[in-house]
Amino acid sequence: MVQKAKILLVDDRPENLLALEAILSALDQTLVRASSGEEALKALLTDDFAVILLDVQMPGMDGFETAAHIKRRERTRDIPIIFLTAINHGPHHTFRGYAAGAVDYISKPFDPWVLRAKVSVFVELYMKNCQLREQAALLRLQLEGGGGKAALGDTKEPAGLLAELSARLAAVEEQAEALSKQLDDDAADAAAVATAAHLERKLTGLRRALDALEPGTGSNGAASLPSQS
């Protein structure tokens, strides 16, 4: 069973959180509420999130300050943040949102379909990254001396393990390629395109490491795996 991605919704007004849940429920992912910046930071201490929808105007710690804390933490700095705001003070205000680390800045009232489409892109990217980490973990087990057999739940010989890992990686590569093409066709946000390109680079590195393990390549088994940062 594929684990669902978590989406963090941060807003001090319950009716706004309810509206966001109604809009995003069609994505069939796990929606987590936070009614303040402090509550959002606590949630980020223990859970991994695909994307954060963050209200700008909140009492106490506002959206900009919350985003600054998120970007300072190594665990959370790469989580995409979409700012939602009911006010528009012009380009300077928008620039402040991007400067705080947002990948997008949306003014209320917003088009529900557009918001859902934007969030779905980051959910897909998150899921592809999760699949990539799983493939890298299996490769590391194989390099450490056969631990991959237990992870794959069978007793295949090394050649069989490599073939199965290659097939699994090929499936992820195909999905990533289709997602990149969709982003190009839809003229998506630059941040989403850049994230997809980063994912493809990691997939390329993983493919090279796997190819180096194939018999007859002259590899001594010390293939270098791509960084998972």
Side-chain angles (χ1 to χ4, degrees), residues 109-121:
F110 45 77
D111 186 324
W113 187 92
V114 170
L115 179 64
R116 186 163 53 243
K118 288 177 180 290
V119 171
S120 69
V121 168

Side-chain angles (χ1 to χ4, degrees), residues 18-192:
L18 188 62
L20 288 174
E21 288 175 337
I23 292 170
L24 300 176
S25 60
L27 298 179
D28 192 29
Q29 304 300 323
T30 301
L31 305 178
V32 178
R33 285 188 175 202
S35 58
S36 67
E38 292 85 354
E39 190 175 333
L41 294 176
K42 287 180 182 178
L44 288 162
L45 288 174
T46 54
D47 289 324
D48 294 323
F49 292 90
V51 62
I52 302 169
L53 274 62
L54 181 58
D55 184 41
V56 171
Q57 285 189 300
M58 295 185 294
M61 185 184 297
D62 66 13
F64 296 131
E65 188 178 353
T66 302
H69 282 288
I70 292 171
K71 293 302 177 182
R72 279 198 291 266
R73 293 178 178 176
E74 184 176 356
R75 174 188 172 95
T76 58
R77 64 178 54 166
D78 294 325
I79 302 176
I81 298 174
I82 298 177
F83 271 130
L84 304 176
T85 179
I87 59 175
N88 186 0
H89 293 314
H92 175 73
H93 198 260
T94 303
F95 174 78
R96 186 182 176 191
Y98 288 117
V103 297
D104 210 339
Y105 193 95
I106 303 177
S107 297
K108 303 174 185 177
F110 45 77
D111 186 324
W113 187 92
V114 170
L115 179 64
R116 186 163 53 243
K118 288 177 180 290
V119 171
S120 69
V121 168
F122 290 107
V123 168
E124 280 198 73
L125 290 172
Y126 174 82
M127 299 301 285
K128 297 298 183 294
N129 270 298
C130 288
Q131 289 179 305
L132 180 57
R133 285 195 294 270
E134 290 173 1
Q135 304 303 328
L138 289 174
L139 270 178
R140 286 193 176 92
L141 286 172
Q142 177 65 22
L143 289 171
E144 288 168 2
K149 293 181 180 180
L152 289 171
D154 57 33
T155 57
K156 290 184 176 66
E157 293 302 314
L161 286 171
L162 288 175
E164 182 163 347
L165 285 170
S166 181
R168 292 188 182 189
L169 179 58
V172 179
E173 289 171 330
E174 183 178 350
Q175 293 170 351
E177 182 179 354
L179 178 59
S180 295
K181 185 178 185 302
Q182 177 187 333
L183 291 175
D184 290 339
D185 293 342
D186 295 346
D189 297 329

Side-chain angles (χ1 to χ4, degrees), residues 136 138-144 162 165 204-215 217-227:
L138 289 174
L139 270 178
R140 286 193 176 92
L141 286 172
Q142 177 65 22
L143 289 171
E144 288 168 2
L162 288 175
L165 285 170
T204 299
L206 186 56
R207 171 57 68 184
R208 288 174 179 168
L210 183 59
D211 290 344
L213 296 175
E214 292 288 345
T217 61
S219 170
N220 60 4
S224 174
L225 292 178
S227 169

